[in-house]
């Protein structure tokens, strides 16, 4: 696959990750992130034509924005899980 094809697919997966985070579909979010990471790991800029660079930059910006959106949904959930675990740990110590 060409770098642009990989980046386009990664951007689509990033947009899917935002939808999954909004729906709190955590298992699917993790699986989609794994798929995206695999795509991005194969991304090489070797041989990328100069004319393709603006599109690649825009795709990478979209991916970054999606990551930010996902974090906005995941971080509050992580904070509540952290508080729950801390409460469980405290009650286990009290026993």
């Amino acid at each position: 696959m060409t770098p642009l094809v990989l980046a386009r697919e990664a951007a689509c997966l990033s947009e899917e990750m935002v939808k999954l985070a909004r729906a709190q579909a955590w298992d699917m979010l993790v699986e989609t992130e794994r798929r995206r990471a695999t795509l991005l790991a194969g991304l090489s800029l070797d041989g990328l034509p100069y004319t393709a660079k603006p599109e690649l930059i825009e795709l990478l910006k979209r991916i970054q924005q999606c990551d930010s959106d996902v974090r906005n949904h995941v971080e509050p959930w992580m904070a509540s899980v952290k508080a729950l675990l801390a409460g469980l740990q405290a009650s286990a110590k009290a026993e």
Side-chain angles (χ1 to χ4, degrees), residues 7-34:
R8 285 178 193 137
E9 289 190 26
C12 287
L13 289 174
S14 295
E15 291 168 355
E16 181 65 21
M17 288 169 59
V18 172
K19 292 176 189 174
L20 292 168
R22 285 182 183 146
Q24 297 183 358
W26 308 124
D27 292 338
M28 289 295 298
L29 175 62
V30 169
E31 178 58 33
T32 304
E33 195 281 329
R34 284 185 187 139

Side-chain angles (χ1 to χ4, degrees), residues 1-12:
M1 275 192 218
T2 68
L4 279 180
V5 170
L6 286 173
R8 285 178 193 137
E9 289 190 26
C12 287

Side-chain angles (χ1 to χ4, degrees), residues 23-65:
Q24 297 183 358
W26 308 124
D27 292 338
M28 289 295 298
L29 175 62
V30 169
E31 178 58 33
T32 304
E33 195 281 329
R34 284 185 187 139
R35 290 176 33 221
R36 186 189 72 169
T38 300
L39 282 176
L40 291 175
L43 184 64
S44 170
L45 302 181
D46 294 339
L48 181 69
Y50 180 78
T51 56
K53 288 183 181 183
E55 182 181 355
L56 181 64
I57 290 168
E58 286 305 311
L59 289 166
L60 294 175
K61 285 180 182 179
R62 269 179 43 204
I63 290 168
Q64 287 180 321
Q65 182 58 52

